[in-house]
Amino acid sequence: MKGQKMDLFWTKIMPECVSKYPWAGEFTAKMSLKKFQEGVKAKIKAMDENEFDLFLAAVVMQASRDQMMGVNLTEKIGFLRGLRA
């Protein structure tokens, strides 16, 4: 989970997905990765099941556009699902 794929996910895919939500203004380009991840975790925990499913669908579509597929994407989806536990 290290290296280029992680960077792509957290620096391009997730910010693109987050930008479509009304609360996107709470996230800035100057945030640390840790703070960004903590913020995303809080938002994901607050989502109901339907909203979370839509969020995951947006993540998958953006990942596909950015050429992230297979095991790398499956790991990230699993990680996001784990944030709701």
Side-chain angles (χ1 to χ4, degrees), residues 9 52 56 59-60 72-82:
F9 186 77
F52 181 66
L56 283 184
V59 170
V60 169
N72 291 323
L73 180 57
T74 302
E75 286 176 353
K76 301 303 188 223
I77 296 300
F79 173 78
L80 294 174
R81 286 187 187 280

Side-chain angles (χ1 to χ4, degrees), residues 18-34:
V18 165
S19 73
K20 294 172 175 50
Y21 283 83
W23 39 261
E26 297 174 31
F27 295 84
T28 67
K30 294 181 180 182
M31 287 179 95
S32 69
L33 176 60
K34 183 176 179 177

Side-chain angles (χ1 to χ4, degrees), residues 52-71:
F52 181 66
D53 288 344
L54 289 173
F55 181 77
L56 283 184
V59 170
V60 169
M61 289 187 295
Q62 186 62 46
S64 178
R65 281 187 214 106
D66 291 326
Q67 310 274 314
M68 177 184 251
M69 298 172 242
V71 174

Side-chain angles (χ1 to χ4, degrees), residues 39-56:
V40 168
K41 180 179 180 178
K43 295 302 180 186
I44 285 174
K45 281 186 172 271
M47 291 177 182
D48 65 26
E49 281 302 312
N50 290 331
E51 187 177 13
F52 181 66
D53 288 344
L54 289 173
F55 181 77
L56 283 184

